[in-house]
Amino acid sequence: MKTTKVITALAAVTLLAACSSGTTAGSGDGDDQTLTIASVDQGSIEKVVDAFKAANPGVTVNLTTSGADQYQQQIRTQLASGTAPDVMTVWPGNGNPGATYVIAKPGYLLDLSDQPWAAQLPDAFKKVAQYEGKTYNALFGLNGIGAVYNDEALKKSGLTAPGTWTDLIAFCKAAAGKGTPAFALGIQDNWVTQIALYALVATTVYSGDKDFDTKMAAGQATFANSPWTTAMAKYQEMNTAGCFQKDPLGTSYEASQTLAATGKTLGIVQGNWIIGLLKQKNPSGTFTMKALPATDDPASFIMPAAAGAGYGVNAKAKNKDLALKFITFVMSPAGMKIFNEAQGSLPTLPGAGTTVDPGLTELTTFVEGDKTVPFMDQLWPNAKVQQTMLSGLQEVFSDQATPAEVLTDMDTDYKAGS
């Protein structure tokens, strides 16, 4: 999937700067003024809900938020049992148990194709918001992955953000020597294991082969016999060089945020959504995202950037009318602006008036320069590939598996198809 058409839709805006408990499902009569929402957007969805309630007096919103791992384990069970909320987080594409293709296929999501915003989505986003030509996911934000630095901590260390792979390894060793590791890594939450790997894969795999995904789909390439092996090796080298704090496997995503926000590390390799969370923990702090170097040629750097998680409507929502009203608000200029600015994401539609966080200048430049690739899992043929990767990476960090074994297992799951 190319990002060219995404750039066109974003250009006007970017120039301005970028498990829940459920409710019993039913076919409600539209008079109920209580809406249930389950979300993983902790720290940003709350502001959107507050604005929605202010615009709709008398409406009650029962919101539950949770981490991605817990949410993905629960949402399919709730949908199958009829206890899912009216509105829920849905990821683009096919990469995990809560993704569009995975939960639209059994009929769990309401078709949103007739909503005015659906036709306005850039083609690249439509591809991962739709299943069999129908739109099921309200994608409001574009997210990227890179190295996010705590500006104050970096200045205090006397070090500068690395611009090449060689510099990165030297940076990590120097930071560790000063007692302040370069990056926080919280892979106790297994979804976090993929983030740094994706940042490395973007350059090592796609700078030399933009058509790698197409070749994978055609059976002409594999994970195990491609530069994915290089990215895996670099991920391990970063760990060996002291790029991360001690015991990443014993560190949660929440704890990793605290380390980076408070200067216990110089930064964190994460998505741009982390900036808003870091600012909650350190309101006076400033944070800057840069591409994570994976080679010694900066001209080859590519950043992962793609549609972030959006929102779908339960096909058996208790209050479909109110659910659709909320989705309409999320995709409106006002709602999108609140969400993007709270989350630190770029808008998917022009005209949102979003003020992009200055820390995302480099990400914006990469998007506008067509130097991005989608998050790797979004167009994989099933959710099992990602789950195998995540658990496998935890085993690599605990010396229970080798990268080669993980990539081979991923190939097996990929070839199994949808």
Side-chain angles (χ1 to χ4, degrees):
M1 182 177 70
K2 305 289 185 180
T3 57
T4 304
K5 293 181 180 178
V6 178
I7 296 165
T8 300
L10 290 173
V13 180
T14 52
L15 289 175
L16 296 176
C19 326
S20 65
S21 57
T23 183
T24 302
S27 60
D29 58 11
D31 294 329
D32 191 347
Q33 289 297 291
T34 297
L35 179 68
T36 54
I37 302 175
S39 173
V40 297
D41 291 314
Q42 296 162 307
S44 54
I45 182 67
E46 296 86 353
K47 294 181 180 180
V48 178
V49 167
D50 287 344
F52 176 71
K53 291 194 296 184
N56 295 275
V59 167
T60 298
V61 176
N62 293 333
L63 170 69
T64 56
T65 62
S66 59
D69 291 342
Q70 179 188 356
Y71 177 88
Q72 290 172 13
Q73 290 170 6
Q74 292 182 359
I75 196 64
R76 287 295 299 274
T77 300
Q78 292 175 343
L79 286 166
S81 64
T83 60
D86 299 325
V87 176
M88 69 200 81
T89 289
V90 179
W91 280 268
N94 199 31
N96 65 58
T100 304
Y101 301 2
V102 177
I103 55 179
K105 185 176 181 180
Y108 291 138
L109 293 178
L110 186 69
D111 181 4
L112 304 175
S113 302
D114 61 351
Q115 300 300 299
W117 52 265
Q120 300 173 30
L121 285 173
D123 287 348
F125 286 0
K126 286 180 182 177
K127 190 172 184 178
V128 292
Q130 295 179 342
Y131 175 73
E132 293 187 340
K134 296 180 179 179
T135 300
Y136 294 95
N137 197 343
L139 300 174
F140 62 88
L142 174 88
N143 290 314
I145 294 172
V148 179
Y149 296 96
N150 179 323
D151 296 341
E152 181 182 4
L154 189 62
K155 182 178 180 180
K156 184 177 179 180
S157 74
L159 302 174
T160 57
T164 67
W165 171 254
T166 299
D167 290 344
L168 174 64
I169 297 303
F171 174 80
C172 288
K173 291 178 179 178
K178 293 175 179 287
T180 310
F183 305 113
L185 182 63
I187 57 174
Q188 185 179 92
D189 294 281
N190 78 343
W191 72 268
V192 178
T193 61
Q194 69 195 311
I195 301 297
L197 180 60
Y198 282 6
L200 295 167
V201 166
T203 295
T204 58
V205 175
Y206 293 90
S207 65
D209 190 358
K210 284 273 192 175
D211 296 323
F212 181 77
D213 289 332
T214 301
K215 292 176 181 177
M216 283 286 293
Q220 299 169 356
T222 64
F223 296 115
N225 294 295
S226 76
W228 270 80
T229 59
T230 303
M232 280 282 206
K234 288 179 179 290
Y235 198 177
Q236 286 189 296
E237 187 175 349
M238 287 180 67
N239 190 39
T240 302
C243 288
F244 311 119
Q245 85 287 350
K246 292 181 180 179
D247 193 21
L249 280 168
T251 305
S252 68
Y253 176 50
E254 173 75 21
S256 71
Q257 296 171 34
T258 300
L259 291 173
T262 59
K264 297 294 183 13
T265 65
L266 302 184
I268 187 169
V269 181
Q270 259 294 344
N272 50 275
W273 54 81
I274 199 76
I275 292 180
L277 298 174
L278 297 178
K279 288 184 175 180
Q280 287 182 28
K281 296 178 181 298
N282 181 4
S284 64
T286 58
F287 305 91
T288 301
M289 172 180 276
K290 292 183 175 294
L292 182 69
T295 70
D296 282 341
D297 177 18
S300 72
F301 292 176
I302 293 176
M303 295 180 74
Y311 286 88
V313 175
N314 185 351
K316 296 182 179 179
K318 184 175 181 179
N319 196 333
K320 290 182 183 178
D321 290 343
L322 195 56
L324 288 171
K325 197 170 189 178
F326 179 77
I327 293 294
T328 298
F329 180 76
V330 168
M331 297 303 288
S332 71
M336 194 173 290
K337 176 179 170 65
I338 294 168
F339 229 144
N340 293 150
E341 292 181 358
Q343 190 184 69
S345 56
L346 305 175
T348 57
L349 301 179
T354 302
T355 300
V356 179
D357 189 292
L360 298 178
T361 298
E362 185 159 312
L363 173 60
T364 302
T365 299
F366 271 67
V367 170
E368 293 176 339
D370 197 18
K371 296 183 65 177
T372 65
V373 292
F375 297 163
M376 290 74 206
D377 59 272
Q378 288 189 354
L379 293 178
W380 289 346
N382 59 63
K384 186 66 169 62
V385 183
Q386 188 197 50
Q387 298 306 305
T388 295
M389 176 185 65
L390 299 179
S391 60
L393 286 170
Q394 286 184 320
E395 290 175 353
V396 168
F397 269 82
S398 60
D399 296 321
Q400 298 179 67
T402 66
E405 290 171 336
V406 175
L407 293 175
T408 297
D409 289 344
M410 289 169 62
D411 280 323
T412 298
D413 290 328
Y414 189 99
K415 291 173 184 175
S418 59

